[in-house]
């Protein structure tokens, strides 16, 4: 089942977040219990080559794949789809013009201006004719605009109304910096939580999906109640650190006070 | 402090075990709380290039680095040292001749027959003159012979007596297969535990170090009591799986019964 | 002979089209009977590293090399030339401003604003002094603007009149999507063929070269008659699929009805 | 279905032959109509890293994967299986001792001496428990010994009788060089064809599979009649050259006498 | 000590200039006597992956690292900092708007609009809390705007006055091309030297740092007197060519007239 | 002209020595004034992939290429030739059996037992038919056995008499360690110089070529007089260190006493 159809069915999904630009490492992440995998090109180390190669193990695991592009790199939004991604997350969509450019790169005419050439996506998904692929792609793929500044908040309705934008993705760390005018970074900054809930509500009202990055797992239930359906979490940095700390604690407990 | 000097001081050390041939992934592992990092070329994915590149972040983290070579690939033992490793683990050392060949590749004359050319190791460790490097290398580096078959057990004293062999490394999974004549793989197979303890005792008696792979952290205390000082654990496969399961459990607990 | 001089001499040239970002694969393509090789960064998998490395075997084969950049990535147009490409193809040049920015990245002052630094190109082509290189580069290298939308068609004369634009490159698949307002993708859509011929004619009238992608080899003669001199074809995807189908058919014919 | 079960069912299978050490190129090969894919480390460019990464797209395509190791590199036979290959082809098995060493690396005790550690193979195939994996691996995986010298021919019965050897793989080019004492390389050298047929017959008599490299597709039917069930063919070099020649011929025919 | 603090202390610093996108090659450069190392993404071969991997050996050598981004690629300015660079050099800053966009990518709010996510930088520098990192980053990192056209010169005061711009970097080759309207490339073109001195003076007057590329070492003293504190030099191309010519001259002198 | 023909013509040749496993770095080395380039897999970082890719720029520069394999890795000797090398240097050839195995891997029957499959070498050299290639390869390629221990010295005549061994390569650093029984590493250790001269003389007497590594350029004339025709020198480590020291000295001289 596609990411789109699972979201449309009302599922809550957890996506892993990969920042190591290496296909074997992505393969390990894809084998875990996450529903899908996002390759991060903004703050993570992913790049054109690692996305092209890293999407393969995600597809092989039978999971939807997402790519977060760098700020303003809408050329890469098209390429991620050509490589086989199902969804693209664009950071810092701070104006309706940003949203429009993003949508243009994501959707074929007449909705957008995406250029034809699914060189890798077509054989990787391997279904139907090229005419089918053209006809269904705009529906099948998802464009998530990141809402993470006051500027974005100010024009949220315009972004939500932009044809080709399928959902919003809330970046709580940047949002906290924006909210405090550079004063603090705190993904669960209490002052902003009501606004974060409001963003999800407005997305739903506009018929769009709401996604969010979850730094602290304890907040997951709260954001799901707000209406966020796609929860991002668990970079390799986080998973390896967590795994190592649990493992070493168990080893040290077993060894006891010998050290 | 070198691995050698820490073992000589009686410390119990935990080495991470890397099987992903990618320097950035090794960098993540090296940043965790392990005392040192082993790059595995036998069952892991490491190869010449990834060892050369992967040793750099381990050295940068100020930790000793070890390399496990493939079976019989003693050419690679020398190369691992030339790249900057402090210790090499050779699997399936099943005869005194195996031990002798391994030692020959690990030690400069007159102990062994290692060839001169520390192209990367010398600038990476960056200390003293080349004459110093030659004089001290045989002492500074460590050769661990893996004991993991009945054949090895039969000639253990000969292996321990081989000049240039600094320690043994017990492989409990292969040992259990050997012990049961192919019947089972079980790293804590009870029948063999007394023999495993005996191997460590005999290594100590011969003035050699004892190392072991710890699949189950709960067994760590037991093997430390046997005299094993260097405990290997925690491949990326294991760390990511453990981290993911803990994280997802926390997220699902927070979300509750919504899914 | 350079690509420029061969086109100026009236030759019809076939360029292979590489989408696999691997220098050894490009080497195989460069060894075939094509006149030149294009590395595709828009819909193919090529990226900065693979272009830098992949140009080498094309130069070693004594053939002109071209690079197609992603949409709007004019920084990469300059870099492709710095790496040693002779020509750059820019997709989706839909306005005179697009053409002007593309030309600026391709040509040194006073024609454009290309920045000096032919780090790899100079030693790779290895001829003359740096002053010579500066003086001749604007003539030696070729900028192809892709015409593949109705917007581009509307301002074709302006694009053709832009100093520094050496030719146009018609993208028939995107053109068919544009022509049918998203209805179909068909590189030989009959309704648009007269317009495609007209584009070549207008390019020639403006003293510019005309290039085109040829999906179906049977259409080659027709577009050559229209005035297209540079025909692109044959990605690795296409070549391997064609080679495999011919080979397997021959094998199966030999085996007969045994299977 | 596994390679083993398809051969056991009497199928004739065509394996592609990959020599380009790049996972994306292997992916293209795996998408064609071949039944399985072999990664060649002897004369092809594959190496530890490319095998580890290149097996993934073959598995993703749902096809059996084989690896040909370099001469005498039995350490790599085990590693190829640990990475997920189903079969390994060892070149220049010229003595019973060669066969025995090859089998030792391929099979777990008590048949052989393969070391435990299916780091990548286990999650990639993802089935059952580790005990199951241990119990079934010796049956599931296939060891093909290459017969390509007079020495090998002289001890063929001994090779066929070696426990753990599942089949032979005839190398007709080397065989022709051996047959003519260095005089010629000719994969269909008529003088040796009767012997080649005899090799297959003796393999079948010993209950082992027979495989062969097919340079000329026209000979496929003949070797199938001899009893060869697994036919190797079609490196990227061959596929790209064949595809390019067919494509360029079609283009030139379309263009006619213009050039 | 950070690059910022060394410049603030009035030191003159020499940065090596790396154009080979390979971490081992950067490691060699970082081991030489340069004060810091710059990875060049504009005319050099560096790209996202090589910057991420190449910064590691520079940090391991205890030296400040700089990255020059391609023209207009301000998304990459943020990424270079996220990967662990201390300073970024932006080429062709030809307007105050260019400077403003560059500063926005380099500085967190309220100075700029940099997005949060120091995935690699934080563990690589490994100091303090995330709140500390946020608070100190704008001070710790340096944004150098390249002045290398007449347009830039015309708005120099505006560029210098842009909040978040920490210094200028003079590109003498491009400046000579601009100065001579495309007539010549000459990094020590005498006519422009007074202006170059003036640029440094105005930078100092505005409280900003001045850096410059030094093609000819003999000019170093002159530019230092002008006030340039950071001198860039010595790509791998230059270092290898210089080393080879000195070495071969010595060898040939030793051999004498034999050749 | 081939390496063989230049040596046969009595030329003295300087080969650069590459230890950085990166094709772009090898390209830089190949562009300098050396007569040929050696890729070092023993103490350098080269491996299968970097040799396959690194030979391309050496061939493109029109220079002979050599590969030094790791100790005892004769499988790699064949592969280096299959990838396009003209000569292979085998370290630590300490017995006639070593020499025989090396020759077997280097020469086709009836001289040796090299297996057919010049997958990359044939198209890279691109000359004649496969029959020609088979017939001429044994003459065209060169096998250099390294003489660097007392054991090798003891059997030098036997090594020189081994069919298929074309020359010896003296390793002066290892030889000094052997000569002093591990006491010192000194490539111009005076006590051994007469023996080194004798090795060259005996090689010439046997009709074989003599090569040597030259650590100190001042000794070049002396070894040439001894009869060494092929002089190895100048790794990237050495070239970059030499270039950097000369450049920085010039810069500091220009700056004067300011620092
Ligand atoms: Mg953000
Ligand atoms: Mg084991
Ligand atoms: Mg197009
Ligand atoms: Mg063969
Ligand atoms: Mg410049
Ligand atoms: Mg040596």
């Amino acid at each position: 089942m596609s990411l789109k159809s699972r979201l449309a069915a009302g599922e809550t999904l957890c996506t892993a977040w990969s920042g190591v630009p290496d296909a074997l490492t992505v393969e390990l992440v894809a084998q875990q219990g996450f529903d899908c995998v996002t390759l991060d090109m903004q703050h993570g180390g992913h790049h054109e080559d690692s996305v092209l190669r890293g999407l393969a193990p995600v597809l092989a695991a039978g999971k939807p794949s997402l790519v977060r592009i760098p700020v303003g790199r809408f050329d890469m939004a098209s390429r991620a789809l050509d490589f086989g991604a199902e969804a693209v997350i664009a950071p810092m969509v701070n104006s309706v013009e940003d949203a429009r450019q993003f949508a243009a790169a994501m959707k074929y005419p007449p909705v957008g201006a995406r250029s034809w050439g699914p060189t890798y996506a077509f054989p990787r998904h391997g279904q139907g004719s090229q005419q089918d692929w053209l006809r269904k792609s705009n529906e099948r793929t998802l464009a998530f605009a990141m809402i993470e500044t006051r500027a974005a908040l100010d024009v949220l309705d315009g972004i939500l109304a932009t044809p080709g934008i399928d959902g919003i993705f809330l970046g709580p760390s940047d949002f906290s910096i924006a909210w405090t005018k550079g004063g603090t970074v705190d993904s669960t900054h209490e002052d902003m939580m009501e606004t974060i809930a409001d963003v999800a509500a407005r997305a739903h009202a506009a018929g769009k999906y709401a996604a969010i990055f979850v730094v602290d797992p304890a907040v997951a239930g709260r954001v799901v109640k707000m209406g966020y359906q796609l929860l991002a979490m668990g970079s390799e940095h986080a998973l390896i650190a967590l795994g190592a700390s649990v493992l070493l604690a168990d080893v040290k407990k077993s060894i006891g006070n010998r050290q």
Side-chain angles (χ1 to χ4, degrees), chain A:
Chain A
M1 268 179 74
S2 74
L3 177 59
K4 172 73 173 290
S5 57
R6 294 184 67 177
L7 289 173
E11 279 193 66
T12 299
L13 301 172
C14 294
T15 179
W17 197 258
S18 170
V20 175
D22 174 64
L24 291 171
T25 306
V26 175
E27 181 180 327
L28 296 196
V29 173
Q31 288 165 348
Q32 309 310 318
F34 302 100
D35 300 298
C36 35
V37 179
T38 303
L39 308 183
D40 182 16
M41 300 181 75
Q42 185 196 14
H43 297 301
H46 278 288
H47 44 74
E48 281 83 348
D49 194 72
S50 71
V51 168
L52 178 53
R53 294 173 191 275
L55 287 172
V58 184
L59 291 167
K63 295 184 179 176
S65 55
L66 305 89
V67 172
R68 180 165 72 173
I69 57 174
V71 176
R73 286 287 309 282
F74 301 122
D75 62 299
M76 189 60 220
S78 302
R79 296 191 78 191
L81 299 181
D82 286 347
F83 293 168
E86 284 189 40
V88 175
I89 302 165
M92 291 285 166
V93 174
N94 291 334
S95 67
V96 175
E97 174 60 16
D98 287 348
R100 202 198 53 75
Q101 286 187 31
F102 177 37
M106 290 291 291
K107 306 291 178 180
Y108 288 119
V111 178
R114 184 182 167 197
S115 171
W116 180 258
T119 312
Y120 286 90
F122 191 70
R124 282 179 167 183
H125 288 279
Q127 55 211 23
S129 70
Q130 291 217 340
Q131 297 297 348
D132 271 355
W133 191 258
L134 172 63
R135 195 173 56 245
K136 295 178 183 168
S137 287
N138 285 359
E139 276 310 302
R140 196 181 56 82
T141 60
L142 292 168
F144 285 98
M146 285 193 76
I147 303 300
E148 45 187 348
T149 64
R150 286 176 180 270
L153 204 58
D154 290 345
V155 296
L156 180 59
D157 291 333
I159 291 169
L160 287 168
T162 303
I165 298 296
D166 300 292
I168 59 90
F169 188 109
L170 197 128
S173 294
D174 272 321
F175 203 82
S176 70
I177 294 175
W179 200 257
T180 62
K181 298 184 168 45
T184 193
V185 54
D186 172 7
S187 67
T188 52
H189 187 66
E190 197 51 47
D191 287 1
M192 69 186 184
M193 295 305 272
E194 192 177 318
T195 302
I196 285 178
D198 186 52
V199 169
R202 288 161 70 188
H204 279 275
K208 304 294 168 85
Y209 301 106
I212 191 167
F213 199 94
V214 172
V215 178
D216 175 3
V219 90
R222 189 169 174 192
V223 298
V224 168
K225 283 202 198 87
M226 291 176 184
Y228 288 96
Q229 260 185 285
L230 177 65
L231 312 189
M233 64 192 66
S235 68
E236 292 94 344
H237 283 75
L239 296 179
I240 286 177
L242 180 54
S245 67
V246 171
L247 173 62
L248 283 165
D250 284 352
V251 166
K252 278 172 185 163
K253 183 173 156 210
S254 171
I255 297 180
N257 294 320
R258 288 183 59 103
Q259 285 193 278

